[in-house]
Amino acid sequence: MKKAFLYNFKQVLIIFLASIATAISVEVFLIPSNAIVGGVLGISSTLQILLTTFVADEWYFSAGIWLVAINVPIIIYCFFRYRKRFVIKTMLYVIFLAVELVVLRVLPVAEFMKSVMANDDGVFDKVLYVILGGALHGLSLPLLLSVNASTGGTDIVGVIVQRHSQKSSSDAMRFILVADVVVVVLSSAAYWIVSKDATEAVNLLIYSIATLFICEIVQETIFKGFSAAIELEITTDKPEEMAQALSEQLKHSTTTVKVVGGYSHQEKTMLLCVINKSQLVKARRIINKVDANAFAYVENVKEVIGKGFANKENELEGDENMQNK
């Protein structure tokens, strides 16, 4: 019981931290800059930006209210179609995020941040706001994937489309990206129609697309960081001793390949070993200690899938949490 409680508490805490990162990103940095992210959260942010043009202080126009209203039918559909644990975690994230957005809207957090980050003329740097907002929002998806949850909205719709069309997860990701871009373009057009300010509408489009790119960069960096590795290719006269030392001290096995030296024309042995980047210094010491005459070089590895390496980026089509109940 204690282990189950701690496990569930850790999962809820991670979901809460993901929602806090998104809430601060949207309410403190992006909306004050008239920038949005894609998907349902982007639609909700646009509604807040447009409606606050007329009624600035009403909390019920907050993006959090629209977020719940739009996500409810999607979550209800998924609750009866897919595994309930996945849906409950996603719903928990949406509720956390909605409450936090409303609270941040009511409290003068955004105004306080403006006063702190504004220059002597009282003007804040929108570019810096977009970078901070995009980076914070980019943290939320990796955190949620680590507990097998999602951000809701178009993420879930993408999975539904992928499952019904029997296409690959890459097709679902393309759908999500296209949906995000469409939301940004339509939001910019709506802002132009309502505000009659073409310049600010174009700025919203540019800053929002920049936000999407920053989110992608942060997410890719985190995902790749879990499985970033390098490959050692070592030509040595002591292959057995070298393989044993690398295996015992680095906890990564080797592959043996027979090669022929281009200069000596003698048969030699090359060891291939994929290790974490942080182990490179230790690997150098091992190579020099076992065979000072060994020849080795390093290759960057884009991604590693397999035992000994963490892989946090879940394939949508293979995620057990989206299996039918």
Side-chain angles (χ1 to χ4, degrees):
M1 291 293 293
K2 184 178 179 181
K3 286 184 178 179
F5 172 79
L6 291 175
Y7 174 79
N8 290 325
F9 177 78
K10 180 181 177 182
Q11 297 227 322
V12 172
L13 179 61
I14 291 174
I15 294 171
F16 177 74
L17 292 175
S19 67
I20 282 286
T22 302
I24 294 174
S25 164
V26 171
E27 189 65 40
V28 178
F29 294 112
L30 296 180
I31 289 180
S33 306
N34 275 4
I36 64 170
V37 293
V40 170
L41 186 56
I43 296 172
S44 304
S45 301
T46 302
L47 289 171
Q48 174 173 325
I49 291 171
L50 294 177
L51 292 173
T52 51
T53 302
F54 308 107
V55 185
D57 299 323
E58 300 297 342
W59 64 268
Y60 47 78
F61 285 135
S62 168
I65 303 300
W66 301 111
L67 182 72
V68 173
I70 299 173
N71 268 297
V72 162
I74 300 174
I75 290 175
I76 290 175
Y77 173 82
C78 291
F79 188 82
F80 293 102
R81 293 281 298 179
Y82 303 109
R83 287 185 61 122
K84 292 179 174 58
R85 189 171 179 84
F86 168 83
V87 178
I88 289 171
K89 289 178 183 178
T90 301
M91 181 176 65
L92 194 60
Y93 167 80
V94 171
I95 293 172
F96 280 157
L97 179 56
V99 172
E100 290 156 4
L101 286 171
V102 172
V103 170
L104 289 174
R105 174 77 191 283
V106 173
L107 299 177
V109 179
E111 292 301 320
F112 172 76
M113 187 60 66
K114 279 184 180 180
S115 66
V116 171
M117 300 186 65
N119 58 25
D120 296 335
D121 298 326
V123 179
F124 65 95
D125 189 345
K126 280 192 176 183
V127 174
L128 180 59
Y129 262 50
V130 167
I131 292 172
L132 292 173
L136 270 176
H137 184 62
L139 292 174
S140 61
L141 182 59
L143 284 173
L144 290 170
L145 287 179
S146 71
V147 294
N148 292 319
S150 84
T151 59
T154 51
D155 285 356
I156 296 182
V157 173
V159 176
I160 294 171
V161 170
Q162 178 259 323
R163 289 182 64 81
H164 283 288
S165 62
Q166 298 298 313
K167 294 183 178 180
S168 67
S169 61
S170 59
D171 291 317
M173 295 304 293
R174 278 193 288 271
F175 169 83
I176 294 170
L177 178 60
V178 169
D180 288 345
V181 173
V182 168
V183 167
V184 168
V185 172
L186 293 179
S187 297
S188 302
Y191 187 87
W192 178 34
I193 293 171
V194 172
S195 68
K196 308 299 182 182
D197 189 341
T199 301
E200 196 60 35
V202 171
N203 286 339
L204 188 150
L205 176 63
I206 294 172
Y207 286 134
S208 299
I209 291 177
T211 300
L212 292 178
F213 274 107
I214 293 168
C215 288
E216 282 294 317
I217 291 170
V218 171
Q219 289 168 7
E220 283 294 312
T221 301
I222 294 174
F223 287 141
K224 293 296 184 289
F226 285 119
S227 58
I230 55 176
E231 180 191 30
L232 293 174
E233 299 190 5
I234 311 163
T235 303
T236 175
D237 293 327
K238 301 178 180 179
E240 294 181 1
E241 296 91 329
M242 187 72 72
Q244 183 177 356
L246 291 171
S247 178
E248 290 177 354
Q249 298 183 47
L250 299 182
K251 308 304 179 183
H252 291 293
S253 61
T254 59
T255 299
T256 302
V257 180
K258 294 297 182 181
V259 296
V260 177
Y263 177 76
S264 64
H265 301 290
Q266 295 181 351
E267 188 177 271
K268 296 180 179 291
T269 301
M270 176 184 288
L271 298 179
L272 307 180
C273 184
V274 178
I275 63 174
N276 295 303
K277 286 186 176 180
S278 60
Q279 296 177 308
L280 179 57
V281 174
K282 190 173 183 180
R284 286 173 178 163
R285 295 197 189 104
I286 295 170
I287 293 169
N288 289 329
K289 183 177 180 180
V290 174
D291 184 3
N293 295 319
F295 176 80
Y297 62 92
V298 178
E299 289 276 359
N300 284 319
V301 176
K302 185 177 180 181
E303 185 174 2
V304 180
I305 300 173
K307 186 177 180 181
F309 294 89
N311 299 281
K312 297 293 185 182
E313 185 176 13
N314 295 335
E315 286 285 343
L316 294 177
E317 61 192 283
D319 190 349
E320 66 175 1
N321 294 286
M322 293 303 293
Q323 297 296 325
N324 289 330
K325 60 181 181 178

